[in-house]
Amino acid sequence: MEHTQSLLVLDFGSQYTQLIARRVRELGVYSEIHPFHYSLEHIKKLHPVGIILSGGPMSVYEQDAPKPDPGLFELGIPLLGICYGLQLFADRYNGKVNSAARREYGKSDLQIDDHHDLFAGISDTTSVWMSHGDALSRLPDGFEPIAHSHNAPICAVRNQNKKMFGVQFHPEVVHTPEGKKILSNFLFTVCGATGNWSSASFIEQAEKGIRATVGSSNVLCALSGGVDSSVLAVLLHRAIGQQLHCVHINNGLMRKNESDQVVKTFRDTFHINLTYVDATETFLSRLAGVSEPEKKRKIIGKTFIDIFEEEAKKLNGPFEYLAQGTLYPDVIESVSFKGPSVTIKTHHNVGGLPEKMNFKLIEPFRELFKDEVRNIGNLLGVPSELVGRHPFPGPGLAVRILGDVTKEKLSLLREADDIFIQELKRSHLYDKIWQAFVVLLPIRSVGVMGDGRTYENAVALRAVTSVDGMTADWAQIPNDVLAHISNRITNELRGINRVVYDISSKPPATIEWE
């Protein structure tokens, strides 16, 4: 999709790179992330109003340190270097970077020495978030210092003629309270951006783009009932109406009443063409006796493709396009960065379907972050219980049952999970948590109920807070709420006599157990 204005973020391996792009979009300017070695030719084609050079884990003086094309500094486009990005100015313009006598991680007080442009409207002393082991010991030629901290005499620099700015701290994180204002100053005062990017403008552009691409062709969409596919289905229906056909496959691994809700919402409320397929028996028969997590995933993925292909052939096509809810983080993670960032995963939204079935892809959300999709869902009138729903893994409850998957285990887990979610909503905690679920453990333990001894299943409650799922902290649910959840599960569900709470963060643990 074309954008009248954009800002480019060049990634040098920072854990905060996605956050930079998100903050810029929150300020109303469309932003894109590309690897540090992105060619000058591509940059010129984008016509960005400005470029932000991200932080990174390396030191600029290391032998294999990532460096952009030197021509980047001669383009005349305003530049903001964050942390490692600041070091690049020193490297390019005869400054000097040394390993700092004291490493700085965490909060620090920044003293502003010049309140023009970048620091306009910022307090004389402001709290910022540091994360560096290096510091500038000599100013780059043509630059002047505009802020300092106790540990870093040169903490922010400016070259007014070239419109280049560098900061040693991270303005994009919430721990830098005035960071958004600093980014705003760069975007609007330095770059002259107008701020015309919004969810509403995206919907308008996306609908036009979909209609222009599709023409009179038919589009097929796999509707899982998750946030991304739900919002995608409604957007497509608004754009092309009856040319869209959705298929919802109930794999028997869904949350309680999930498939019923999908059918009711999309067929009855939005009047979307929807084929419902109950493939529970097929999935469970193929999963019988399988305990290894990766094997489960592969079986579920292949079975989905088999059934989806079979159903597509039955429908009145032909279908030229397949719509997928691929998000921007999926696209970023699928790009192989040479140097500081490694490929975390290769993303296939609907496991190999395009190659197998010769579809052309429509992915309207491939430029969007999750929170932007939620905003669009709200604007499109998608029910709040769907828009605000916690992420759910593709293999569903199969990867929340440690061990083999059976109908009995699924039923038990589904009920326990439903109790957990009910109580989080009742306590007004659900929307404060990124993801919450129950895991059925492959162990039994001794318990007592009434006068009798029990030997039943144990379950683990998992709840985390996160921004994007890349890192996560365990949610500190009040003890009385946890106690009530535990009591309900053990009292109401025959077969569970022990409830534990997972207090692991990511890293070192993952959010899901499998």
Side-chain angles (χ1 to χ4, degrees), residues 85-190:
L86 166 63
Q87 294 182 34
L88 288 169
F89 292 137
D91 180 69
R92 173 71 180 158
Y93 294 106
N94 197 34
K96 195 167 184 182
V97 177
N98 294 104
S99 182
R102 281 179 55 220
R103 290 172 175 250
E104 253 186 319
Y105 294 101
K107 285 195 176 183
S108 180
D109 287 332
L110 184 73
Q111 306 290 328
I112 307 297
D113 300 316
D114 187 310
H115 283 87
H116 289 91
D117 39 57
L118 195 65
F119 294 131
I122 304 297
S123 314
D124 291 342
T125 302
T126 187
S127 183
V128 297
W129 186 259
M130 298 284 195
S131 178
H132 66 96
D134 297 308
L136 263 64
S137 55
R138 184 174 70 218
L139 269 173
D141 293 344
F143 284 76
E144 59 184 322
I146 54 175
H148 68 278
S149 73
H150 178 68
N151 196 42
I154 307 171
C155 204
V157 300
R158 170 181 64 200
N159 182 322
Q160 222 160 8
N161 292 334
K162 290 181 176 286
K163 289 192 174 181
M164 293 181 184
F165 296 81
V167 295
Q168 187 62 77
F169 57 91
H170 289 275
E172 69 273 23
V173 302
V174 291
H175 308 295
T176 301
E178 294 188 277
K180 207 164 178 180
K181 173 65 177 164
I182 293 167
L183 289 174
S184 174
N185 285 339
F186 177 68
L187 291 171
F188 302 112
T189 304
V190 177

Side-chain angles (χ1 to χ4, degrees), residues 15 67 99 171 235 310 433 445 489:
Q15 61 180 320
K67 307 275 178 73
S99 182
L235 176 67
E310 193 181 307
I433 289 169
S445 68
I489 289 173

Side-chain angles (χ1 to χ4, degrees), residues 6-10 43 47-53 72-81 89 118 159-166 185-193:
S6 65
L7 179 125
L8 177 61
V9 180
L10 291 184
I43 291 172
H47 299 295
V49 292
I51 298 173
I52 295 179
L53 312 176
L72 176 76
F73 301 97
E74 311 306 324
L75 292 176
I77 299 169
L79 299 177
L80 172 62
F89 292 137
L118 195 65
N159 182 322
Q160 222 160 8
N161 292 334
K162 290 181 176 286
K163 289 192 174 181
M164 293 181 184
F165 296 81
N185 285 339
F186 177 68
L187 291 171
F188 302 112
T189 304
V190 177
C191 300

